Amino acid sequence: LKSLIKLTDVQSEIDKDLRKTALKILRKIIEMENKELTTPSAEWDTDDWIKYEFQIKERQEMMCDLDMVKLVCNVISNETSISIKEECFLAGIALLLGGNTKSQMSFYEFIQQDPENLFVQKVKENINMCYDLIKKSETKRNILMQKHYSINNKIEEMTELIGNPEHQEIKKLE
């Protein structure tokens, strides 16, 4: 596992798809302790994993001891591929699931030793990028909904006109 972690780091020469797959495997080492779900831990409710809390915590701490937190922080700080960063965020969530103290302290120590605060800046950039994507998506959705309401209102107006005896000439067009 230590070799896999080293091969997955940003300085690695392996193909980006392999790095993404390696991050997923490292994440799954923690998540597979939950025998009931195969979805990423980011999608779990507390009820989904709480009965496996002890086993998950053991795996989280094992992965911390293997420097997986350092890997996650390095990749988020320096990676350009969005899909690799996304997989890395999922790995970070798996490490922090349930408020794991050892994982939290490992992240804290990395942040303390990051003199340029690059990790926190990159996390902030990613949050802002996601916010902008959501905002753009919602703006498009709102425009479409306005058009939908406008069309519905026109249909209702036409329906009222058709049913009104004063507008028999419209009735004839049916």
Side-chain angles (χ1 to χ4, degrees):
L1 287 176
K2 189 110 174 132
S3 296
L4 184 61
I5 288 171
K6 187 175 181 179
L7 276 172
T8 308
D9 211 343
V10 178
Q11 296 82 14
S12 174
E13 296 296 321
I14 66 170
D15 181 72
K16 288 187 181 281
D17 288 335
L18 289 174
R19 288 183 50 230
K20 182 179 173 183
T21 301
L23 281 165
K24 185 173 186 173
I25 290 168
L26 293 168
R27 170 175 59 88
K28 286 295 185 182
I29 290 169
I30 296 167
E31 293 174 345
M32 291 305 291
E33 292 302 323
N34 181 341
K35 309 295 184 225
E36 297 174 18
L37 294 175
T38 58
T39 56
S41 57
E43 298 176 15
W44 299 350
D45 290 325
T46 303
D47 293 343
D48 293 333
W49 62 269
I50 198 70
K51 61 180 138 185
Y52 302 105
E53 180 179 18
F54 178 77
Q55 295 90 335
I56 290 170
K57 184 178 178 189
E58 280 185 335
R59 285 291 168 250
Q60 289 170 321
E61 292 182 0
M62 178 189 82
M63 298 308 282
C64 279
D65 291 339
L66 294 171
D67 282 337
M68 188 166 159
V69 170
K70 183 179 176 186
L71 168 70
V72 167
C73 292
N74 281 335
V75 171
I76 289 172
S77 297
N78 300 296
E79 181 57 54
T80 56
S81 166
I82 292 174
S83 65
I84 291 175
K85 277 187 183 184
E86 286 174 357
E87 190 60 51
C88 207
F89 276 108
L90 291 173
I93 291 168
L95 284 163
L96 292 165
L97 183 70
N100 185 291
T101 304
K102 188 170 189 170
S103 294
Q104 289 180 29
M105 289 309 297
S106 294
F107 276 100
Y108 173 76
E109 289 165 10
F110 185 92
I111 291 167
Q112 289 295 313
Q113 296 170 5
D114 184 6
E116 296 165 14
N117 220 11
L118 189 59
F119 173 71
V120 174
Q121 287 177 18
K122 293 296 181 172
V123 169
K124 181 182 179 220
E125 283 176 22
N126 279 281
I127 290 170
N128 287 338
M129 182 182 72
C130 290
Y131 174 75
D132 289 343
L133 286 172
I134 291 168
K135 186 176 169 183
K136 186 184 286 186
S137 170
E138 286 301 306
T139 300
K140 286 180 183 176
R141 181 185 168 279
N142 288 342
I143 290 169
L144 289 173
M145 291 302 291
Q146 280 180 321
K147 288 179 181 179
H148 172 75
Y149 290 134
S150 176
I151 291 169
N152 260 359
N153 286 339
K154 294 292 181 192
I155 290 171
E156 286 178 15
E157 287 175 17
M158 296 300 288
T159 304
E160 285 178 23
L161 284 174
I162 291 171
N164 190 334
E166 293 177 15
H167 301 283
Q168 290 301 319
E169 63 279 358
I170 295 175
K171 191 96 170 153
K172 292 176 188 175
L173 294 176
E174 282 184 54

